[in-house]
Amino acid sequence: MDTYGVGCIALGEAGPVGSMTVVDSPGQEVLNQLDVKASPEMTNAEASIEMSLPTPLPEFEDSPDKKRFPLEQESLSRLEQQDLSSEMSKVSKPRASKPGRKRGGRTRKGPKRPQQPNPPSAPLVPGLLDQSNPLSTPMPKKRGRKSKAELLLLKLSKGLDQPESPPPKRPPEDFEAPPGERPRRRAAQVALLYLQELAEELSTALPAPVSCPESSKLSSPTKLKKSQADADPQGGGGEDDTAQDEDFVLQVEAEDEEESEIPSESSSDPEPAVLAVPQVPTVSAVPQVPAVPEVSTVPAVPAVPRSAPRGSTSGKQKPHCRGVAPNGLPNHIMAPVWKCFHLTKDLREQKHSYWEFAEWIPLAWKWHLLSEIEAAPYLPQEEKSPLFSVQREGLPEDGTLYRINRFSSITAHPERWDVSFFTGGPLWALEWCPVPEGATASQYVALFSSPDMNETHSLSQLHSGPGLLQLWGLGTLQQESCPDNRAHFVYGIACDNGCIWDLKFCPSGAWELPGTPRKDPLLPRLGLLALACSDGKVLLFSLPHPEALLAQQPPDAMKPAIYKVECVATLQVGSVQASDPSECGQCLSLAWMPTRPHHHLAAGYYNGMVVFWNLPTNSPLQQIRLSDGSLKLYPFQCFPAHDQAVRNLQWCKANSHFLVSAGSDRKIKFWDLRRPYEPINSIKRFLSTELAWLLPYNGVTVAQDNCYASYGLCGIHYIDAGYLGFKAYFTAPRKGTVWSLSGSDWLGTIAAGDISGELIAAILPDMALNPINVKRPVERRFPIYKADLIPYQDDPEDQDHYSASSGAPNPPKARTYAETVSHHYLLFQDTDLGSFHDLLRREPMLRMQEREGHSQLCLDRLQLEAIHKVRFSPNLDSYGWLVSGGQSGLVRIHFVRGLTSPLGHRMQLESQAQFNAMF
């Protein structure tokens, strides 16, 4: 029987009637009015009878209102018994009300039934019962409904001969709420339990991130503060909705309750992160790499609504990363970076291989060294770079102007480690050579520069001509020391296929050790490189290691070494019977399948076609063996993806069934290659220039041209593929066209270069969560350097002229390279990337924010400071290095030292030990 409304009733010392104690029952006011007197004399021989009811509420145990009402021992008359019964009938238990129904607002309808007096032979007072046989006197049957006082006394009389039962174990939340408060909603608890089970099932299929490393500064967690006066202005209980709905929230384990402290909504709480941050009691100057187990990622399931309580009992609240990392950035910004290390490492172990395409080994007799006269048509025309100067934040300005020769470089700066070299012409294609994890080998970049500084290209027609593919060696780029060697030109490949619009290396399995023993004429292979050419063809080269190739040339050979090479395969559209490259136009973009065995290569063409080749095919319909031993391959699949030119292609690195394309028709389309007849999602936004699909996220980062962008929306956007349904996230605003975009899977960071000569980097939030909750995105981006065109101070004509990007009213109007460099030089303003402490107040950051809002562009001149290509290193040994170049032909290499962490260094050491054990 429910005992709501009665705290505890104890029958006092022995007597005909005994004494009765009432503890804080809802009918206390009624009992206080009873005029019952008791005799002061009590006999010691009388036995005591005590009855135990369910445990009272904790807050009512020590109530000062507890009173005793002694009754007469033997002189209680029949009338007094009836008065007691009538008064006890007023002690009513509150009826359990349904949710949403007010109690006490309505009375029972119908005529009142007259109350009949109790027969004198069967009194209902427990003290009059025979103690030898308490139930010997039967209760008279009464027609109609018994009063609640009678039911209460009947219960008491029946319980005298039963052993004392332990109180039922019920949490305080199970008691009904007092009148005037919100009733309990128990159905929501069942729904949340179901969502909890669903989240646990989905979380098993997701990769596991790691906890963030120990930080040197951890702010103390702010505790939840609620005003009782605001929550309960009526003073009824002093509890807010959080306390009322404790049974509405999922319960968690005790250890989880102790660790979860969520700040109040009034405070500036940081963005939720997926990672669980350990509470570090001590502060260390140098953070140690935490050896913590991996934590499963929060799946995309319906979460607890914001109206749910934000206390220790809310088990589904996402943990926060509080405090400041050693590099000066908040932990909630660095948390996705730390997560990306393990995600990238685990996926590459699953999706990458150590050896592929064993039949495509470089042959020494296919590499013909050109003489100086033969190589002259392929070399860029400019033999010297434009004048430039470098200002580094935090270091005194020396004002030195540099001019370097073609294929030459400047020694790395001893403190900032930045490197510069000159390629001879505007840069339009750039790519790092992949190196296996743990192989502490030299890093290489392949690039293409136009032969002429003033050269323009028409995309609507095929064209061919001489060009030079350059391979540069950067040395072993370490995380702890400055590069010892200069960047040097290794060798060049002379091509007659016109402009090279895109370069792609085989992601893995094409690199081998430089000292691998090979029988002559075989050479150790550096990598497999595909070129997208303006004559509509795709060329595939097998590049040898420079040490083995240069060892076979004569001592008096020309420096630098330029080779005429026979490619291992030529890829073109059409078929064996109908081969016409002109029907698709120029090849503008390439994408190599990122998962092993890397057998497929995709290309985007000017007419909107996306074409796929199967590289190791043996089908006579897709392969033709030429007389020189090379192959000509034809596609096994193609489909019209866009109405106009396909400007960029990106393959999903986690699943090779998915591809994204961006076209000149302003559309971005996501494709499932198992059903290429219809895109998964098609988004029409701006004119996209380049895409970056980072490893852990279900969407792409997009760089755009400003010709179709709305005012204030030009820049870099993150667009969800459509599976999660998130709105686009505005990563960084830009005033001019963003020519290039690159993402680092190791850092979860993108870098972008634009027409104004500014190179910026932005740390993406965890895109597995809704980015609409991301606060202060300006804290996530920072400039790497800014290039400005500055007039010579000794030139009186240009004394009042400044860089166009600085917002000058009279910018220079030189339209050719010769006019521009005769009166101006380039000024590179570098940011100190070793630390991000006090980032928002530093001069480069303030300058970047000012240009984002008030800068002006002048498109009537040669944009000599424009940045055309940016690439993050994909290799673990050099994951923090970034290379960029543009219209001036100057290529610069920077090390984003502030984003490196001890976690990455530990992974490098583990990978090196694993690689040395295997090879």
Side-chain angles (χ1 to χ4, degrees), residues 823-835:
H823 300 285
H824 302 84
Y825 69 95
L826 287 172
L827 174 62
F828 295 101
Q829 302 176 14
D830 290 7
T831 306
D832 182 8
L833 302 175
S835 174

Side-chain angles (χ1 to χ4, degrees), residues 84-102:
L84 179 61
S85 301
S86 61
E87 294 295 340
M88 289 292 293
S89 64
K90 299 179 182 179
V91 184
S92 59
K93 178 187 69 173
R95 185 175 303 171
S97 60
K98 298 181 180 179
R101 179 179 177 183
K102 296 183 179 179

Side-chain angles (χ1 to χ4, degrees), residues 458-473:
S458 175
L459 297 180
S460 59
Q461 297 178 356
L462 299 178
H463 67 88
S464 60
L468 183 66
L469 175 68
Q470 304 178 24
L471 185 69
W472 286 76

